């Protein structure tokens, strides 16, 4: 696991070094991802959440279409944790030139929901029941890269709770989120 990014209060934060490391991480991930698509139920019914993400990461299952649309990729995951990395490109800007809150919310929704998903056994799925996002500061394309880091708060048989942070390579916190996810039974999770 990578260490959490330093905060802006940390002395000697090296944004250029962090950007370079994050760009290398992204290139490594993109080299293994398959084309976007939706896995068939028979491909995933036997996979736990962790196994499902591992298969995506190895290119054995399609990558997630929203990642291509919104320009973000999975960077790392473990039981109860998930990190996505995205590029706050100008095409995601609002009329004021800052990144639209919907793009930020999408990254945070993805990391917190996937953190819950990593805790699920084979045949179980989830849906987001609630997402709360707090925008801390304006995000601009000049930040370069951001990471949405989701961490489980509690994973139960019927409900999962997680929180997430959107941080820049500059070490700053841009937004925070919490989620409540409802865990679905096998037939609803896989569409069978």
């Amino acid at each position: 696991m990578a260490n959490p990014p330093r905060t802006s209060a940390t002395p000697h934060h090296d944004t250029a070094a962090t950007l370079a490391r994050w760009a290398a991480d992204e290139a490594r991930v993109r080299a293994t991802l398959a084309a976007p698509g939706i896995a068939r139920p028979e491909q995933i019914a036997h996979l736990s959440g962790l196994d499902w993400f591992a298969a995506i990461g190895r290119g054995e299952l399609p990558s997630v279409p929203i990642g291509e649309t919104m320009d973000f990729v999975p960077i790392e995951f473990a039981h109860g944790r998930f990190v996505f990395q995205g590029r706050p490109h100008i095409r995601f800007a609002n009329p004021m030139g800052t990144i639209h809150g919907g793009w930020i919310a999408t990254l945070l929704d993805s990391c917190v929901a996937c953190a819950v998903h990593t805790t699920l056994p084979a045949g179980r799925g989830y849906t987001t029941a609630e997402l709360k996002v707090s925008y801390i500061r304006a995000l601009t394309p000049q930040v370069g890269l951001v990471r949405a880091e989701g961490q489980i708060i509690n994973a139960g048989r019927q409900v999962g709770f997680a929180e997430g942070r959107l941080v820049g390579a500059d070490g700053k916190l841009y937004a925070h989120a919490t989620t409540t996810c409802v865990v679905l039974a096998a037939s609803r999770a896989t569409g069978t």
Side-chain angles (χ1 to χ4, degrees):
M1 284 297 141
N3 291 328
R6 296 178 180 195
T7 65
S8 57
T10 304
H12 311 297
H13 179 80
D14 189 343
T15 301
T18 301
L19 274 172
R21 188 176 73 250
W22 286 9
D25 290 346
E26 183 175 324
R28 176 185 43 80
V29 168
R30 287 189 185 277
T32 61
L33 289 178
I38 305 297
R40 296 183 315 276
E42 65 271 15
Q43 291 178 290
I44 57 174
H46 66 286
L47 298 177
S48 69
L50 278 174
D51 293 338
W52 188 341
F53 291 123
I56 290 172
R58 292 188 302 267
E60 296 168 3
L61 290 174
S63 62
V64 182
I66 191 72
E68 181 177 33
T69 302
M70 305 286 278
D71 198 10
F72 65 88
V73 295
I75 292 294
E76 63 184 60
F77 61 89
H79 187 270
R81 184 170 190 276
F82 210 102
V83 178
F84 283 99
Q85 181 168 293
R87 293 183 176 276
H89 194 276
I90 191 69
R91 71 178 181 260
F92 305 126
N94 60 33
M96 296 175 288
T98 59
I99 300 303
H100 192 280
W103 186 82
I104 293 168
T106 299
L107 259 73
L108 286 167
D109 180 40
S110 297
C111 77
V112 294
C114 287
V116 171
H117 195 171
T118 64
T119 68
L120 299 181
R124 300 302 295 259
Y126 67 92
T127 189
T128 300
E130 179 182 60
L131 177 70
K132 180 191 180 296
V133 178
S134 298
Y135 299 93
I136 310 300
R137 62 177 40 91
L139 177 61
T140 67
Q142 290 72 36
V143 173
L145 291 172
V146 293
R147 286 195 172 179
E149 304 171 346
Q151 182 69 43
I152 199 78
I153 296 170
N154 186 56
R157 289 177 28 111
Q158 297 178 330
V159 181
F161 302 92
E163 64 182 345
R165 298 167 39 92
L166 186 75
V167 296
D170 56 7
K172 294 179 181 174
L173 175 66
Y174 286 88
H176 176 268
T178 57
T179 194
T180 303
C181 292
V182 176
V183 177
L184 303 174
S187 63
R188 294 182 65 195
T190 61
T192 59

